[in-house]
Amino acid sequence: MFRWFDTHEVTEFASSVAIEYARLRKSTALRRDDSAKKSQKFAKLNGRVAEFMRTRKPNFYKKARLIDSLRTGMKEQGVPEDESAVFINSVLIAPITR
């Protein structure tokens, strides 16, 4: 029963995704990458999140903690809230509603 509430793994994953997102965001801005190059780089990160969700199959409590941890982590990394909301929606919330 306690494993059901253990969010250590999703919290660590969310932190790594937030750091990677901020790193990609800064590097694409510095290099002035075109939109195709940006999409390609962020698609890899989206794939990483999709793979985590597919292999780990977190329950709804862990998904909620993942979303919250990701929002918090991205805010700490200086990503604007509207930008982080679009990313989170595209990789975590939109696949659930499909």
Side-chain angles (χ1 to χ4, degrees):
M1 182 68 171
F2 290 112
R3 285 189 326 192
W4 200 83
F5 291 106
D6 182 19
T7 60
H8 181 72
E9 181 181 28
V10 295
T11 304
E12 283 184 0
F13 179 72
S15 176
S16 70
V17 169
I19 291 168
E20 181 69 13
Y21 184 89
R23 187 189 66 76
L24 284 174
R25 186 173 177 265
K26 289 175 186 174
S27 71
T28 57
L30 286 173
R31 293 183 189 157
R32 297 182 184 170
D33 290 339
D34 61 356
S35 61
K37 187 78 166 175
K38 286 180 186 179
S39 296
Q40 182 183 22
K41 288 181 179 184
F42 285 102
K44 289 180 183 180
L45 185 58
N46 290 356
R48 186 172 155 218
V49 174
E51 180 67 23
F52 179 84
M53 298 300 284
R54 190 173 39 257
T55 58
R56 301 297 196 279
K57 296 182 175 92
N59 59 45
F60 71 90
Y61 177 73
K62 289 181 181 181
K63 285 178 189 175
R65 293 293 299 161
L66 176 65
I67 291 168
D68 184 55
S69 296
L70 194 51
R71 277 190 187 126
T72 304
M74 292 177 89
K75 187 176 184 178
E76 290 172 356
Q77 293 294 322
V79 177
E81 286 187 40
D82 57 337
E83 186 178 335
S84 65
V86 169
F87 175 75
I88 292 167
N89 186 42
S90 70
V91 297
L92 293 174
I93 299 171
I96 292 171
T97 59
R98 290 185 197 144

